[in-house]
Amino acid sequence: MQYRKFGKMDWQVSALGFGLENLPADEGEAVKILRYAIDGGVNFIDAGAMTPSKRNASLLSKALADGYRKKVKIAAAIPAQIIDATSDFERQLEGLLNLLNNERLDFLLLGGLNRFTWPKLNELKIINLAEKAIAEKKIGYIGFSFHDEYQFLREIIAGYDNWTLAQFQYSFMDVDHHPGVTGLSYAADKGLAVVATKPLKGGRLTKEIPKNVSKIWSEAEPKWSPAEWCLRWVWNHGEIATAVCDMSSLEQVKGNIALAGDVKAASFTVPEELVVSRVRDAYRSLKPIPCTACRGCMPCPQDIDAPRIFEIFNDAVMYNDIAAAREFYQLEKHQVDNCNECNICEDRCGMKIPLTTWLKKAHELLAEKK
Ligand code: SF4
Ligand code: SF4
């Protein structure tokens, strides 16, 4: 296993982190897989947003008995979306600590920070409450998970001096957004440990691979699997402290541990970078809407986030994954029906995209229940 510096902390994290999302339903098997990973050197677990209804808590407490707790650090999140008052945060934190048997939580993440949720938490002074929890030794360090554009990452990092970690999705398809390679370098430069999640884009880069992409992978040298290309590419970034993989089987854990021991930062050759960039272009060529996400069409008087809707729609087509796209669209509660066809957005779009037509098409596909 390869270990990397964890931001400003005097601690080395395993390059491979463990996410609990895809563990098998059989608890005994799940515990076995998690312990195998820890025995193989994994020392960072991303428990996500834990609630009593989720089985993560009972699974974790079983897996981390018998001395395993001491071998790992755990990050768990309180989603910003559910914090509307200081009492919400206090209740959520107590609940979280209860689920963790009232042991100290190593990293508390303010989950889902973006341009809307961060100002809300700031106004509620949630950071002060989190710092109080550090002083009371309930938690070790404070971090955040993020999904928005780069400029808002900068605002969040500038808004508090003692962030320890920033967590966001990062794969070779995420170089220029949310917050992309610029955000990655910025966070690392500011001394934050960067935790990358979804290096395979939640499996979308390894399942249902389109023909034009498959052809490039099959002709590429070295003969790595698409999953291996994805992971090697992420680990090639020395700014990333750990890449969290939601692993589901012993076989996958073994493969990823072996790989994490083999890869080095900044080791990709120019031809290897070229393969990844051809694959990226091949995916992008499948985007039905030529939206560059410049957000020049915003703001919309009806609060419709067209660039985000187009991103979800394009992803559904590029990755042949309508189910996940519908889930995001419906979860984010987009209200395309409120469009009054004022055409302000179309007049602003440098790409001359017929926004209202595409918005209707996207809504038709994505609003459908299953
Ligand atoms: S202005 Fe056009 S290209 Fe830019 S985000 Fe809006 S729709 Fe996309
Ligand atoms: S046409 Fe619809 S989406 Fe575009 S600015 Fe007007 S209300 Fe918003």
Side-chain angles (χ1 to χ4, degrees), residues 108-147:
L108 173 70
L109 302 188
L110 302 182
L113 292 198
N114 58 34
R115 73 190 76 180
F116 306 111
T117 54
W118 171 240
K120 179 180 72 170
L121 296 200
N122 226 349
E123 201 168 308
L124 294 169
K125 299 193 170 28
I126 294 300
I127 283 288
N128 295 353
L129 297 178
E131 287 206 319
K132 184 169 161 266
I134 292 182
E136 292 166 352
K137 301 200 180 333
K138 292 178 176 172
I139 62 172
Y141 302 88
I142 311 168
F144 64 91
S145 67
F146 176 83
H147 190 88

Side-chain angles (χ1 to χ4, degrees), residues 38-278:
I38 298 169
D39 289 336
V42 170
N43 65 3
F44 183 88
I45 295 179
D46 173 20
M50 296 172 75
T51 60
S53 58
K54 287 194 177 174
R55 65 193 187 104
N56 288 358
S58 99
L59 194 148
L60 254 192
S61 79
K62 285 191 179 123
L64 299 184
D66 306 326
Y68 277 81
R69 177 66 185 93
K70 279 197 246 120
K71 301 179 183 181
V72 294
K73 292 200 189 294
I74 301 175
I78 297 181
Q81 290 85 336
I82 58 173
I83 307 293
D84 291 314
T86 51
S87 55
D88 291 335
F89 177 81
E90 285 161 342
R91 202 175 41 250
Q92 290 294 330
L93 180 61
E94 284 316 308
L96 190 56
L97 295 170
N98 269 338
L99 290 172
L100 293 166
N101 301 327
N102 290 317
E103 287 184 20
R104 192 182 84 135
L105 170 64
D106 302 297
F107 303 109
L108 173 70
L109 302 188
L110 302 182
L113 292 198
N114 58 34
R115 73 190 76 180
F116 306 111
T117 54
W118 171 240
K120 179 180 72 170
L121 296 200
N122 226 349
E123 201 168 308
L124 294 169
K125 299 193 170 28
I126 294 300
I127 283 288
N128 295 353
L129 297 178
E131 287 206 319
K132 184 169 161 266
I134 292 182
E136 292 166 352
K137 301 200 180 333
K138 292 178 176 172
I139 62 172
Y141 302 88
I142 311 168
F144 64 91
S145 67
F146 176 83
H147 190 88
D148 206 334
E149 300 305 326
Y150 166 62
Q151 69 199 86
F152 302 104
L153 178 79
R154 287 180 66 115
E155 279 179 23
I156 291 167
I157 292 178
Y160 176 55
D161 288 339
N162 287 321
W163 294 120
T164 297
L165 75 100
Q167 178 167 305
F168 45 80
Q169 297 185 13
Y170 200 65
S171 73
F172 67 76
M173 290 305 293
D174 300 310
V175 280
D176 53 11
H177 64 176
H178 309 325
V181 68
T182 326
L184 169 62
S185 306
Y186 184 80
D189 273 359
K190 293 286 174 191
L192 276 78
V194 177
V195 175
T197 61
K198 311 259 183 260
L200 316 182
K201 252 193 164 334
R204 291 200 278 182
L205 297 175
T206 50
K207 295 176 205 153
E208 309 277 346
I209 300 176
K211 280 201 185 101
N212 61 335
V213 171
S214 217
K215 187 166 181 295
I216 301 171
W217 284 142
S218 66
E219 291 167 358
E221 290 292 343
K223 294 286 172 219
W224 295 330
S225 69
E228 194 172 343
W229 275 100
C230 291
L231 285 170
R232 283 183 180 276
W233 184 87
V234 167
W235 279 320
N236 191 51
H237 295 75
E239 304 96 324
I240 289 175
T242 185
V244 171
C245 293
D246 295 302
M247 293 175 275
S248 59
S249 68
L250 265 187
E251 195 193 357
Q252 209 177 21
V253 173
K254 283 179 192 171
N256 287 351
I257 287 176
L259 202 57
D262 182 49
V263 290
K264 293 204 171 35
S267 63
F268 255 45
T269 62
V270 172
E272 286 162 8
E273 284 288 4
L274 207 61
V275 169
V276 174
S277 112
R278 285 178 58 217

Side-chain angles (χ1 to χ4, degrees), residues 289-298 306-308 310 345-346 348-353 355:
I289 312 173
C291 174
T292 59
C294 69
R295 300 189 73 82
C297 52
M298 298 292 284
R308 174 63 185 146
F310 293 166
C345 55
E346 293 201 15
R348 289 177 184 155
C349 176
M351 297 296 288
K352 305 276 172 246
I353 293 170
L355 275 96

Side-chain angles (χ1 to χ4, degrees), residues 280-293:
R280 189 184 297 120
D281 289 347
Y283 271 114
R284 285 178 178 167
S285 72
L286 302 171
K287 275 170 46 168
I289 312 173
C291 174
T292 59

